[in-house]
Amino acid sequence: MASELLHDRPVPVPEQKELWGSDAIAAMLRAMEVPYLALNPGASYRGLHDSLVNYLGNERPQMLLCLHEESAVAIAHGYAKATGRMMGVVLHSNVGLMHGSMAIFNAWCDRVPMLILGATGPWDAARRRPWIDWIHTASDQGALVRDYTKWDNQPASVPAAYEALLRASQMAQTAPRGPTYINLDAALQEAKIGPLPALPDVARFAVPDPVFPNEASVKEAARLLSAAKNPVILVGRVSRSEQHWKARVALAEKLQAKVLTDIKTPAAFPTDHPLHAAPPSTFPDGTLLREADVVLSLDWIDTAGTLKAAWGSTPIGAKVIRVSPDAHLHRGWSADYQGLPPAEVYMMCEPDVVVPFLTEAVRARPAAVLPKAQIPYEKDEAVSIRALARAFNELTEGMNVALAKLPLGWNGAYRHFRHPLDYLGADGGGGVGAGPGLTVGAALALKGSDRMVVGICGDGDFLMGNTALWTATHYKLPCLIIVANNRSFYNDEMHQERVAKERGRPVENKWIGQRIDEPDIDLAMMARAQGAIGIGPVKELAQLKPAIAEAIQKVKAGEVCVVDVRVVPGYDTNMSGAPASASRR
Ligand SMILES: Cc1ncc(C[n+]2csc(CCOP(=O)(O)OP(=O)(O)O)c2C)c(N)n1
Ligand SMILES: [Mg+2]
């Protein structure tokens, strides 16, 4: 796929007599089949940069220039979400790493594989240029991201770098997946090395086979599920494979179990299936779960919190089967491990491995008659997120769409997901600004497929991350970004409203320090400034459908397009209904 981007081709380089440390590192990246490296440049890795361009010819891996390190990481994140595959990122010394760190945290919380390369030094102080090499050298640079990467290393030689890259790649792609970080000393990159040290056989360092559940656990889980009166399946982190999708449907149907999905994770179950019991949401409504006597949690992000939402402080009234390898990477710094759920059976495996075993082992339960899920369609009176969703749904009927981002005010009932690629999930770590980069990364992954990549972003999200657009226009990665623009960091207006009410203070002041107004920002112009099509602002209902229709046409013709839709502030989700502590982001 890398050669398909056909962009930024270097002039031919004469036969090289001399090789450098970074040439060997670049050769290793090619041997590992890293397809792309999203990056923002910096002198700390000028050696590697030269090797990628002049030794490898800027292909396999190909560079993707980004205007901000946060976009570089978000693009790799979006690519991994859509493909399940790892790509690389290169971040300049400490400063580039600091810029990229929030996005690394998002990728970590989202459990996506990513190979992050960085640089420092020269570590040998005697070889540093005055001033700049000193401020861009940090001892233990990996410490900046160690708490939200699976592994980091600073290799001291080419053979050590080979091994570090192999280990970083293997670990990043082993479940539970996550980013890894390799810090390349500038002196190592810029050292003359003579002939290329033999590259290891990459095939011998492949990702391990999946971990299978033991027979006794499967048997016990099947016994509980088969005897249940009201089993519920919580489907969380699962793969993008259609085969796995069908296997999940088969299990739910054999058990006639109700299924819940999470809007924080990608599409995991057909939301219009009669067994899909409620629209995917950020904070699931506990009432449905409270009726369950057996809960099967398939790597659901917050099983303990979800059970608590159902049973509160009373004992959890259901038996719990927990299927998740996630605790393998639980650490102390960030509490993204969530609460500790109780479990009668705990299989530390990936759900997609376990599901077929369970389907085989459970007894079929009789079908219950369930009402079919309906999307609530009242008449739209203003340009709202719901009106936007309706117009978008009508215009994309029968089309394959991959939604790479949804705004906070999106109600999971607005649109059905019927394929694993229909929705790619949220940002993982709740770090605002990821939306544009995630969309561009998904566009990179799905370029040339029949799926239109669409990110529906909040204006705050768009404004923080919008320069990812330039990478999309430069490399011709068609995608559509629709900004649900309420001209505010509105989620936090709601928090101020809640606090004001609690304290008996005027709610009228909730907009101060939140609203993005005076001057009004022309988002369409920000898109045009980067070579994308900019449409809007769309202020009237009558303009909404034609504007989105025009945008879809442009994207189908290969363009990058942004539509600024001025939505009325207000959420139609349980983000506002949840207790303040639950919805604090
Ligand atoms: C990096 C970062 N900064 C701040 C926040 C706090 N925060 C959560 S939601 C939000 C508002 C996002 O604005 P927008 O994307 O326009 O969505 P809206 O709230 O208006 O629906 C903010 C500032 C965050 N989660 N991440
Ligand atoms: Mg907003």
Side-chain angles (χ1 to χ4, degrees), residues 385-404:
I385 301 184
R386 192 182 65 193
L388 188 168
R390 183 191 311 217
F392 181 70
N393 287 348
E394 286 172 6
L395 289 163
T396 54
E397 187 77 49
M399 259 171 74
N400 284 332
V401 169
L403 277 173

Side-chain angles (χ1 to χ4, degrees), residues 458-460 484 486-490:
D459 49 324
N486 52 20
R487 294 190 297 161
S488 171
F489 293 104
Y490 184 73

Side-chain angles (χ1 to χ4, degrees), residues 55 127 137 150 157 208 212 223 296 358 397 409 429 459 540:
Y55 183 61
R127 303 179 57 187
T137 299
K150 282 189 80 175
S157 67
F212 280 65
R223 190 186 68 77
L296 169 62
L358 289 178
E397 187 77 49
D459 49 324
E540 308 293 333

Side-chain angles (χ1 to χ4, degrees), residues 220-234 255-259 288-297 307 311 316-322 344-345 358 362 365:
E220 178 57 8
R223 190 186 68 77
L224 290 171
L225 287 165
S226 304
K229 288 200 170 55
N230 194 3
V232 172
I233 307 178
L234 304 175
L255 283 170
Q256 287 299 306
K258 293 198 187 84
V259 175
L288 200 137
L289 201 62
R290 210 183 151 87
E291 292 159 19
D293 54 352
V294 177
V295 173
L296 169 62
S297 167
L307 295 171
W311 281 281
I316 289 150
K319 300 264 195 278
V320 180
I321 301 159
R322 179 181 179 197
E344 274 60 38
V345 183
L358 289 178
V362 295
R365 295 175 66 262

Side-chain angles (χ1 to χ4, degrees), residues 325-338:
D326 205 53
H328 280 302
L329 52 61
H330 291 172
R331 314 265 280 271
W333 179 79
S334 150
D336 63 285
Y337 46 77
Q338 312 290 332

Side-chain angles (χ1 to χ4, degrees), residues 102 408-409 430-432 458-461 464 486 488-492 571 585:
M102 184 207 77
L408 291 169
V432 172
D459 49 324
D461 192 28
M464 280 197 203
N486 52 20
S488 171
F489 293 104
Y490 184 73
N491 181 67
D492 289 89
Y571 285 3
R585 290 190 63 177

Side-chain angles (χ1 to χ4, degrees), residues 223-503:
R223 190 186 68 77
L224 290 171
L225 287 165
S226 304
K229 288 200 170 55
N230 194 3
V232 172
I233 307 178
L234 304 175
V235 193
R237 295 185 179 109
V238 290
S239 83
R240 297 304 86 223
S241 133
E242 278 186 75
Q243 183 201 334
H244 291 158
W245 174 279
K246 286 181 188 148
R248 264 171 253 134
V249 173
L251 175 64
E253 287 181 350
K254 190 166 181 191
L255 283 170
Q256 287 299 306
K258 293 198 187 84
V259 175
L260 291 177
T261 56
D262 183 344
I263 202 97
K264 299 190 288 303
T265 44
F269 197 87
T271 55
D272 57 352
H273 192 287
L275 288 167
H276 192 263
S281 62
T282 304
F283 300 104
D285 172 6
T287 41
L288 200 137
L289 201 62
R290 210 183 151 87
E291 292 159 19
D293 54 352
V294 177
V295 173
L296 169 62
S297 167
L298 298 178
D299 209 1
W300 184 260
I301 291 181
D302 184 10
T303 305
T306 303
L307 295 171
K308 201 170 167 189
W311 281 281
S313 53
T314 63
I316 289 150
K319 300 264 195 278
V320 180
I321 301 159
R322 179 181 179 197
V323 181
S324 169
D326 205 53
H328 280 302
L329 52 61
H330 291 172
R331 314 265 280 271
W333 179 79
S334 150
D336 63 285
Y337 46 77
Q338 312 290 332
L340 182 67
E344 274 60 38
V345 183
Y346 179 11
M347 288 176 265
M348 215 172 182
C349 314
E350 287 188 276
D352 291 316
V353 174
V354 173
V355 163
F357 287 100
L358 289 178
T359 310
E360 177 76 30
V362 295
R363 254 198 332 271
R365 295 175 66 262
V369 182
L370 291 165
K372 200 160 163 48
Q374 292 288 341
I375 294 196
Y377 261 179
E378 296 133 50
K379 191 168 156 31
D380 294 312
E381 262 147 32
V383 181
S384 59
I385 301 184
R386 192 182 65 193
L388 188 168
R390 183 191 311 217
F392 181 70
N393 287 348
E394 286 172 6
L395 289 163
T396 54
E397 187 77 49
M399 259 171 74
N400 284 332
V401 169
L403 277 173
K405 188 72 176 43
L406 287 173
L408 291 169
W410 185 274
N411 184 315
Y414 287 164
R415 184 178 172 89
H416 280 305
F417 308 140
R418 303 182 177 96
H419 184 278
L421 288 176
D422 279 358
Y423 173 54
L424 302 176
D427 46 37
V432 172
L438 291 175
T439 307
V440 174
L444 171 68
L446 297 172
K447 185 179 161 79
S449 77
D450 69 344
R451 233 165 234 280
M452 179 176 66
V453 174
V454 183
I456 308 180
C457 304
D459 49 324
D461 192 28
F462 178 79
L463 285 164
M464 280 197 203
N466 81 85
T467 56
L469 279 180
W470 180 85
T471 302
T473 53
H474 183 74
Y475 296 100
K476 306 201 179 341
L477 309 173
C479 56
L480 169 59
I481 292 183
I482 304 178
V483 186
N485 183 0
N486 52 20
R487 294 190 297 161
S488 171
F489 293 104
Y490 184 73
N491 181 67
D492 289 89
E493 282 197 46
M494 293 195 309
H495 283 297
Q496 295 325 122
E497 179 173 335
R498 233 167 274 145
V499 172
K501 279 184 181 154
E502 208 171 286
R503 298 181 179 182

